[in-house]
């Protein structure tokens, strides 16, 4: 069996003495699409930041394709970091053109000029923003900004894609484009996707595994179908039905 | 006033010498401050070295350093019995540049620090997540703060071109050698030549305005 994309054990993260994440264990198989759902403040973003190596756990360990992610002091090694990328919950764009934004990950990897332009154009086309290269990133609408940040992540062809509410600002048609993009990335290129979403329908459509995060703990995980049709935990059931569980 | 305008229009070489020296001294001070202060401010903002907070506080305090004090420090260092007295730099344009650099450096450092810090976290994390090295990410943060850094340089230039205490003390207002616009205004006022003093004041304003306008034009394009 190939090593899972992520394996976590006893992961704990606290802010100001408050435990915001406390996960016993989790395995994300390479090439799978995981959705993480849960109410606001549950720790979803914190989990993604830990997986991306931007945050260090207070306890516990993370293995990335069998290699310990958190061993070194500080950031994971560059070669390790370059195998994954994250799309942040609030899209952050560089004060530059759309093209320069999308090209950034290629530039820092030293990709040659000619293929940069080609790959940028293709990535923008994928998110429905063909021909916007020369626009200033500041002039974009929230949904356009979100799609640019997605194109910027896709263009480097990462093995693992961490997405924090990637369609929160999008209309259903554009959200559908992004969803099919994610399914294709996973199906055709074997990209592992961890998707945080508030949209339960989206989790059902896109993910093959779903986990429910509540107060920093994974209440339930499982194949998406089972998760939604036969949730084992009463709290999951209540959350799926849209009832308060806090 | 008519007198100063007449001198200007007639391209009076002494007046133009004064204007050029002002620009040269203050411009060089800003350049030196940029070379030292921009990296220093960025480093203070980006790296959590122990003591950085104190250095930052000290820098912010120095942003309000009275020009006469900056002049005094340089004067003492360069005076005959000072540590650098043997260089015989007192009452030269070089001494004036040093004194103004002492005034401008904290401003450039402090404002760069504040500008970079406001961009720091989100931009750096984004760059790192996209595969940047630590250096590439730091450089991106500095690039994002370029407008703030430009404004810092302009603020520094404004302070330098307008101050009189430091250049007076270490330059001595020697005619044709260390006389700049502000010290010339001081002298003319003392001698009761108010027309010339006001005219020079207007020239000073016009020069500051022209430099600012050129800068903002450049920044709009950048
Ligand atoms: N840097 C931080 N300092 C202090 N507390 C933090 C920090 N980051 C997150 N928290 C807290 O940790 C908890 C989990 O935050 P997190 O951002 O992971 O939630 P989330 O599940 O992503 O919520 P949302 O759906 O609203 O984005 C929250 O209570 C939040 O206030
Ligand atoms: Mg969040």
């Amino acid at each position: 069996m190939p090593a899972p994309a992520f394996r976590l054990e006893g992961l704990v993260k606290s802010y100001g003495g408050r435990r915001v994440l406390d996960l016993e264990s989790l395995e994300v198989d390479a090439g799978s699409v995981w959705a993480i759902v849960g109410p606001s403040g549950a720790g979803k973003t914190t989990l993604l930041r830990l997986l991306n190596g931007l945050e260090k756990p207070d306890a516990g360990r993370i293995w990335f394709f069998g290699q310990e992610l958190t061993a070194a002091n500080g950031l994971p090694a560059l070669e390790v970091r370059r195998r994954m990328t994250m799309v942040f919950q609030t899209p952050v764009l560089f004060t530059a053109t759309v093209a320069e934004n999308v090209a950034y990950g290629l530039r820092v990897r030293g990709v040659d000029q000619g293929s940069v332009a080609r790959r940028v154009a293709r990535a923008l086309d994928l998110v429905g923003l063909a021909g916007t290269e020369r626009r200033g990133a500041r002039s974009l609408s929230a949904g356009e900004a979100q799609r640019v940040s997605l194109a910027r992540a896709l263009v480097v062809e990462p093995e693992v894609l961490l997405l924090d509410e990637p369609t929160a600002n999008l209309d259903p048609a554009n959200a559908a484009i992004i969803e099919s993009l994610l399914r294709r990335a996973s199906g055709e290129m074997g990209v592992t996707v961890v998707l945080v979403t508030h949209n339960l329908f989206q989790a059902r459509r896109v993910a093959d595994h779903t986990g429910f995060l509540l107060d920093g703990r994974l209440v339930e995980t499982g194949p998406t179908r089972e998760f939604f049709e036969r949730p084992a935990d009463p709290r999951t059931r209540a959350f799926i039905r849209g009832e308060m569980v806090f | 006033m008519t007198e100063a305008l007449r001198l200007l229009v007639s391209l009076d070489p002494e007046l133009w010498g004064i204007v050029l020296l002002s620009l040269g001294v203050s411009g060089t001070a800003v350049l030196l401050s940029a070379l030292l202060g921009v990296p220093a401010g960025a480093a203070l903002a980006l790296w959590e070295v122990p003591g950085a907070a104190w250095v930052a506080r000290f820098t912010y305090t120095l942003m309000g350093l009275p020009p006469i004090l900056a002049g005094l420090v340089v004067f003492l260092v360069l005076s005959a019995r000072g540590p650098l007295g043997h260089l015989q730099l007192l009452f030269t344009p070089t001494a004036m540049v040093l004194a103004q650099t002492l005034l401008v450096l904290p401003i450039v450092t402090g404002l760069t620090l504040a500008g970079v810090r406001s961009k720091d976290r989100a931009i750096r994390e984004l760059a790192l997540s996209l595969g940047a090295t630590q250096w590439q990410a730091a450089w991106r943060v500095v690039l994002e703060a370029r407008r703030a850094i430009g404004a810092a340089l302009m603020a520094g230039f404004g302070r330098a071109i307008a101050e009189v205490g430091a250049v007076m003390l270490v330059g001595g207002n020697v005619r044709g050698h260390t006389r700049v616009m502000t010290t010339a205004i001081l002298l003319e006022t003392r001698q009761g030549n108010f027309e010339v003093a006001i005219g020079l004041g207007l020239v000073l304003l016009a020069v500051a305005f022209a430099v600012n306008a050129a800068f903002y034009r450049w920044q709009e394009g950048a």
Side-chain angles (χ1 to χ4, degrees):
Chain A
M1 268 234 354
F6 288 109
R7 190 158 78 79
L8 336 176
E9 224 176 70
L11 204 64
V12 174
K13 182 71 190 175
S14 308
Y15 287 117
R18 195 167 62 91
R19 245 175 217 219
V20 299
L21 205 62
D22 187 353
L23 307 182
E24 264 166 42
S25 69
L26 179 69
E27 273 192 26
V28 174
D29 284 335
S32 63
V33 178
W34 268 77
I36 302 290
V37 297
S40 179
K44 306 182 295 294
T45 297
T46 306
L47 173 59
L48 286 193
R49 291 174 57 82
L50 283 160
L51 295 180
N52 199 197
L54 291 174
E55 211 83 60
K56 276 193 296 179
D58 298 319
R61 300 160 84 178
I62 301 175
W63 288 267
F64 179 67
F65 291 106
Q67 197 178 346
E68 180 136 24
L69 188 67
T70 44
N73 208 14
L75 286 170
L78 184 64
E79 315 82 70
V80 175
R81 283 196 287 118
R82 284 188 174 170
R83 297 170 67 183
M84 60 174 146
T85 188
M86 171 146 110
V87 174
F88 294 79
Q89 186 166 12
T90 357
V92 182
L93 296 179
F94 300 126
T95 315
T97 62
V98 167
E100 284 171 280
N101 266 280
V102 178
Y104 186 79
L106 299 173
R107 290 263 157 75
V108 295
R109 285 169 176 77
V111 174
D112 71 276
Q113 196 67 34
S115 32
V116 167
R118 200 163 22 80
R119 286 169 71 173
V120 166
R122 203 181 112 68
L124 283 172
D125 190 36
L126 282 178
V127 299
L129 287 173
T132 58
E133 277 94 339
R134 298 181 59 84
R135 284 188 60 185
R138 287 186 165 198
S139 70
L140 300 176
S141 74
E144 288 167 340
Q146 202 156 41
R147 284 182 284 157
V148 168
S149 49
L150 198 64
R152 186 173 55 189
L154 289 169
V155 79
V156 298
E157 295 172 8
E159 288 169 65
V160 174
L161 201 49
L162 306 168
L163 304 165
D164 202 345
E165 299 275 357
T167 61
N169 295 315
L170 299 186
D171 57 276
N174 271 305
I177 293 176
I178 300 305
E179 285 175 14
S180 74
L181 204 63
L182 296 180
R183 274 198 304 268
R184 264 173 49 206
S186 143
E188 291 167 21
M189 299 189 288
V191 178
T192 310
V193 178
V194 181
L195 166 75
V196 164
T197 181
H198 276 130
N199 183 339
L200 296 177
F201 298 104
Q202 181 169 68
R204 279 184 101 141
R205 284 192 296 265
V206 178
D208 39 53
H209 283 78
T210 300
F212 175 41
L213 199 59
L214 180 66
D215 291 335
R217 289 170 178 275
L218 269 174
V219 169
E220 182 161 357
T221 62
T224 298
R225 234 192 125 109
E226 256 172 64
F227 180 95
F228 283 100
E229 285 171 13
R230 291 181 297 283
D233 195 290
R235 290 168 296 178
T236 313
R237 234 169 289 150
F239 183 74
I240 291 171
R241 284 201 221 104
E243 293 158 13
M244 292 289 282
V245 287
F246 323 72
Chain B
M1 176 150 164
T2 43
E3 173 65 9
L5 285 180
R6 193 188 60 74
L7 290 174
L8 254 192
V9 173
S10 67
L11 299 178
D12 178 75
E14 185 178 353
L15 179 58
W16 282 101
I18 289 173
V19 172
L20 287 181
L21 185 66
S22 278
L23 285 175
V25 166
S26 299
T28 310
V30 170
L31 192 71
L32 284 177
S33 301
L35 290 176
L36 298 170
V38 172
L44 282 172
L46 290 170
W47 282 286
E48 285 154 15
V49 282
W54 284 104
V55 178
R57 256 165 248 165
F58 187 60
T59 306
Y60 288 137
T61 308
L62 285 186
M63 283 170 72
L65 183 70
I68 195 74
L69 270 183
L72 182 61
V73 169
V74 172
F75 188 94
L76 292 176
V77 170
L78 296 183
S79 67
R81 275 175 295 167
L84 296 179
H86 59 282
L87 296 176
Q88 300 195 311
L89 287 174
L90 206 54
F91 307 125
T92 64
T94 308
M96 295 155 75
V97 168
L98 288 179
Q100 289 200 338
T101 302
L102 204 56
L103 283 177
V104 175
L105 185 58
I107 294 183
V108 172
T109 308
L111 294 182
T112 298
L113 166 61
V116 170
R117 192 169 275 169
S118 71
K119 303 275 181 184
D120 179 18
R121 192 173 149 142
I123 293 291
R124 175 149 59 164
E125 288 183 345
L126 171 63
L128 289 173
S129 179
L130 289 170
T133 65
Q134 296 266 25
W135 282 105
Q136 287 169 331
W139 174 241
R140 191 68 229 183
V141 174
V142 173
L143 267 186
E144 289 294 310
R146 60 191 181 268
R147 276 163 190 276
I149 292 171
L153 296 180
M154 281 325 292
F157 180 78
R159 181 153 156 89
I161 198 92
E163 73 84 21
V164 59
V167 281
M168 191 74 202
L169 198 56
V170 305
N173 193 29
V174 181
R175 184 174 183 185
H177 182 47
T178 59
R179 182 164 299 168
V180 289
M181 285 188 279
T182 53
T183 55
I185 292 172
L186 191 65
L187 183 76
E188 299 295 347
T189 308
R190 283 213 184 119
Q191 295 182 345
N193 300 330
F194 300 119
E195 287 213 333
V196 180
I198 292 173
L200 278 166
L202 289 177
V203 173
L204 180 60
L205 272 179
V207 166
F209 180 80
V211 171
N212 267 287
F215 168 75
Y216 282 108
R217 166 160 290 209
W218 167 78
Q219 202 172 45
E220 286 306 303

